[in-house]
Amino acid sequence: MENKNKTPTNMVNAYRRYMKLQRNFTPNTLDAYMRDIGKLLHYLKTEGIEPQDARLQDLQAFAASLHDLGVSPRSQCRILSGVRTFYRFLQADGYIADDPTELLESPQTDDHLPEVLTTEEVDRLEQAVDLSKWEGQRNKAIIEVLFSCGLRVSELVTLRLSDLYLDERFVRVMGKGRKERLVPISESAIRQLRLWFDDRCRMDIKPGEEDYVFLNRRGAHLTRTMILIMIKRLGTEAGIKKTISPHTLRHSFATALLEGGADLRAIQAMLGHESIGTTEIYTHIDTSELRREILEHHPRNLK
């Protein structure tokens, strides 16, 4: 293969020229494609991955991160289509030998709702953790915190010890747009965290990483990709047939609260949603069901 200068800047510039000169894209279409590729490159940079080194599992994790950020399925499909075009270009132009997007799937664009785990399935997920391994208690604590607090995976990996108020049973979360919120944490999650801290205090932690709650074996904070791989592997080992990710536990958290009778505005606050409409999507709210509830229970409709 031709020895090319494989810096991200050179690859992106070559791709832009290709789209402009050979694909004859309009300026607006070209800008839209480049913005989408920019999202991918930003994600890969935060994960410490060069574009030419990305593998299928890295791109699947990127797709999962779009879902976690609340990007609509239709927009996800558009972004992933651009990612496929980018990697096909890189392969055709000699930057990479194999196209990692060949098996990359796009989400369904119908009204299909994300998978939800029952409490029993979450228990099975935790039971699949091998506590004899050094990371076993850490992984169990991760599952419990995701399910008990409804955190985004990006919020989990940046969670710090200084964000934990375990005596008060609250966690401070830095959400989207650098907005802080306080989320209650269950006794079960606190118990699993304290057990993890027993293991954590014996680790050799890298300088600058001391305040992160969850660490890898090298003493650095975890990435979203690591969490995604761990959850999927445990789901398989637990015999769960559903397609799950860290986001599934967030969705299950919201659904469990709603089914338990929690107020929708309270769920909105705990999830960190700006719009109540987003919360309705997370929690399976059906407008026809809301209409029936209002007709049956509002005092103006009672005879």
Side-chain angles (χ1 to χ4, degrees), residues 49-68:
I49 302 169
E50 294 295 329
Q52 69 272 18
D53 297 328
R55 297 293 177 258
L56 175 61
Q57 67 183 35
D58 302 318
L59 301 179
Q60 289 172 330
F62 168 67
S65 76
L66 296 176
H67 187 272
D68 189 52

Side-chain angles (χ1 to χ4, degrees), residues 2 26 33 37 108 117 132 135 163 187 229 269 273 300:
E2 181 183 348
T26 66
Y33 266 80
I37 293 304
Q108 295 180 350
L117 295 179
S132 68
E135 73 273 19
D163 295 324
E187 288 290 352
I229 293 170
H273 289 158
R300 291 289 187 243

Side-chain angles (χ1 to χ4, degrees), residues 109-151:
T109 55
D110 56 17
D111 293 328
H112 175 72
L113 291 167
E115 297 281 15
V116 178
L117 295 179
T118 65
T119 302
E120 184 270 335
E121 286 173 322
V122 175
D123 290 341
R124 283 167 50 195
L125 202 62
E126 291 186 8
Q127 290 163 6
V129 173
D130 185 352
L131 293 176
S132 68
K133 295 183 178 179
W134 82 266
E135 73 273 19
Q137 184 55 51
R138 182 204 66 186
N139 292 348
K140 191 170 183 179
I142 286 172
I143 295 168
E144 194 62 32
V145 170
L146 285 173
F147 181 58
S148 296
C149 300
L151 303 187

